[in-house]
Each structure stands twice: as C-alpha cells, then as structure tokens.
Amino acid sequence: MCLILLAYKIHPEYPVILASNRDEFYQRPTKAAHFWNDYPNILAGRDLEKLGTWMGVTRAGRFVALTNYRDFGEEMDGKLSRGKLVTEALLYKGNLLEFISNLKEQDHLYPGYNLLMGNGNQIYYYSNRQGKIMEVTPGIHGLSNAFFNTPWPKVKRGKEELQKILNAGEPLVESIFALLRKSEPFPEEILPKTGIPMEWEKKLSPLFIETPDYGTRASTILLIGKGKILFIERTFDPKMRKMKEKKFTFSIEEEKQLT
C-alpha cells in the first residue's frame, strides 16, 4: 500500500476515517477483501503469494495498515514479508502498544516498513526505520512510502482534499473514492528524490498510479463509528477497464475489543 489518509477524532459520526490505495505489480496474485477462512475474525484482502495483507480490520474494531518504506537500494534477500506483520497485529491477544514494543527486537528481519494500527480510541504509528513508537493525535494525517506525515505531494494533496470533503459535508464515501482516483502526476520540481530516475518519481507521484506493469490495485475506505464499522474495497483490473466493489457493515463486538 502506498497511500493512507486518516481523519482521526474530527468527524462527529466516525472517530476513524481511513482511506488507502494499495499499489502493487499487476501479476502478483491477490484475493479481494473477505473474512478469512483460517482467521474468521479478520476482514482484509490477501496477498496470495505470501498470505499476508496490507490492511485489515477485526470484528472488534482493531485495524492495521502498512506501507513500504521506499529504499530501492535495500538488500531484500533473506528478509521476511512485511504483510505478515499486519496479520500478526490483527491476531495479537494483548494490546497494540505491547505488540509494537515487541517489534523493536525484529526490526532487522523485515525490509523498511510503516505500520499504522489502532481502533476508535487509540492509534499508533511505528516504522522499523525509525524505531520510535508514536501515538497519533486527533487530526488529518497522511502516510506514503516515507515517514508519517512526510509532506510528499500526494500526501499533502490528499490531506488537504480530505479536509475539504469533511468541511463541506459532502457525501463521504463517494467523495473520498473520487479523491483516491486522482491520477494526475505532480510537477518534477516538487517531487521527492528517493534514488530512482525522475521519470519514475513522476509516474509514482499521483494518488492513483497507472503504469503498464505496476499501479493501484485497490482503494479502500474504513469508517469506524460508535459501535459500527463500514469497510468498502474497490479493486481494479490491470487494464483499468473494470472495477469491483465489496462492502461490509457490521457491529463492533465490544466484549472482545482489544485496546
């Protein structure tokens, strides 16, 4: 996943509004969002290559989302799949702060990553490239393939547009999906320099990425309200000619909620 936008404790009905785009190679096999057969408490899409996921939520209202930290010079041989961390966080029986604290000992086992996790009451951010646990404060936040709230153009634009949507009281779901579909690249002079040719910096700069072999495979909106969850995923075929939507609504199982 290469873009996460978060509105936390600023909407009267939904303390958590999370919008994300997952970017991946088109040939990587993936299953759309569903409640997993092996772990029925988890609602998420699934990477069929490594059997992990990039974003998911439990029936108790715990969510976890991941982005890669962009470093094309990083040695990948022998490293574990980052998607495994999302699954483990969703399954963890203790609280998330405890889970994150335990991650520090495993930083070297994974390529660079960012994890955003929480529920309607608390949200935490952690990156194995920083090694610091941060509790997220109320507000509008963004995360791409650098650190939390790093003002890459897509993050800055996404946060600004999400704020406008909330201020205007526009139809929430469709307005956010329209934001996630913005595919215009940004000017070269404002793009980050992450060690790849500028041609690719520009191709990867939009909120919604479209290249012949790599791009946005899914857009997801997660709304956590008082006692309820709305999860909508829209997936796209490699040629961008078809879109499929899966929608889930359910009550939070308060008696099992993990904090």
Side-chain angles (χ1 to χ4, degrees):
M1 186 187 301
C2 284
L3 179 66
I4 301 172
L5 301 173
L6 171 69
Y8 181 44
K9 291 186 177 180
I10 62 173
H11 189 276
E13 186 176 358
Y14 298 107
V16 174
I17 299 173
L18 191 148
S20 65
N21 276 344
R22 182 214 181 195
D23 306 327
E24 184 54 87
F25 287 100
Y26 298 139
Q27 75 268 20
R28 187 157 182 157
T30 301
K31 189 172 183 178
H34 63 289
F35 282 101
W36 293 6
N37 291 331
D38 47 349
Y39 301 114
N41 191 45
I42 292 178
L43 170 61
R46 202 161 198 182
D47 168 35
L48 297 180
E49 185 173 299
K50 298 293 185 179
L51 298 181
T53 187
W54 56 96
M55 175 184 168
V57 66
T58 69
R59 292 186 180 275
R62 171 180 291 186
F63 73 87
V64 184
L66 173 142
T67 70
N68 298 344
Y69 184 90
R70 187 184 296 174
D71 180 359
F72 289 98
E74 182 173 20
E75 179 58 54
M76 302 291 286
D77 289 347
K79 297 288 182 72
L80 299 176
S81 171
R82 289 167 281 213
K84 175 174 176 283
L85 291 168
V86 180
T87 305
E88 289 180 347
L90 291 169
L91 293 172
Y92 192 70
K93 298 301 183 183
N95 64 65
L96 283 174
L97 187 56
E98 181 180 85
F99 176 83
I100 299 171
S101 299
N102 293 336
L103 282 181
K104 290 186 176 184
E105 299 176 0
Q106 307 174 41
D107 281 353
H108 63 288
L109 299 178
Y110 296 89
Y113 67 79
N114 299 295
L115 272 179
L116 192 66
M117 60 191 86
N119 50 36
N121 300 313
Q122 290 178 309
I123 299 177
Y124 296 98
Y125 163 76
Y126 181 78
S127 171
N128 67 338
R129 285 303 184 89
Q130 285 181 317
K132 297 178 181 179
I133 302 170
M134 184 184 80
E135 184 169 358
V136 177
T137 56
I140 303 285
H141 302 281
L143 176 63
S144 185
N145 301 112
F147 297 127
F148 194 65
N149 282 326
T150 297
W152 282 10
K154 68 167 68 179
V155 172
K156 187 172 183 290
R157 173 74 56 81
K159 291 169 62 177
E160 291 171 350
E161 294 296 324
L162 181 55
Q163 183 70 72
K164 289 178 182 178
I165 290 169
L166 297 177
N167 289 345
E170 298 175 5
L172 202 57
V173 170
E174 289 305 321
S175 296
I176 295 175
F177 271 128
L179 170 60
L180 293 175
R181 283 299 299 264
K182 290 184 178 294
S183 59
E184 302 83 2
F186 290 90
E188 291 183 7
E189 58 268 21
I190 66 171
L191 296 182
K193 295 177 175 59
T194 62
I196 59 175
M198 184 51 66
E199 175 188 2
W200 271 100
E201 291 282 13
K202 193 164 186 175
K203 288 180 179 179
L204 298 177
S205 70
L207 281 75
F208 192 98
I209 296 172
E210 302 173 276
T211 79
D213 301 309
Y214 178 91
T216 301
R217 299 275 301 273
S219 296
T220 307
I221 294 175
L222 171 66
L223 305 180
I224 300 180
K226 296 177 181 179
K228 60 184 178 181
I229 286 178
L230 173 62
F231 184 105
I232 307 175
E233 179 191 78
R234 291 182 178 176
T235 55
F236 310 93
D237 75 3
K239 300 297 183 182
M240 304 310 303
R241 294 175 182 170
K242 293 181 180 179
M243 183 272 289
K244 294 183 179 179
E245 179 177 294
K246 301 197 77 174
K247 181 177 180 179
F248 303 83
T249 57
F250 56 95
S251 297
I252 296 173
E253 296 180 356
E254 297 285 354
E255 71 278 5
K256 297 180 181 178
Q257 183 154 355
L258 303 175
T259 59

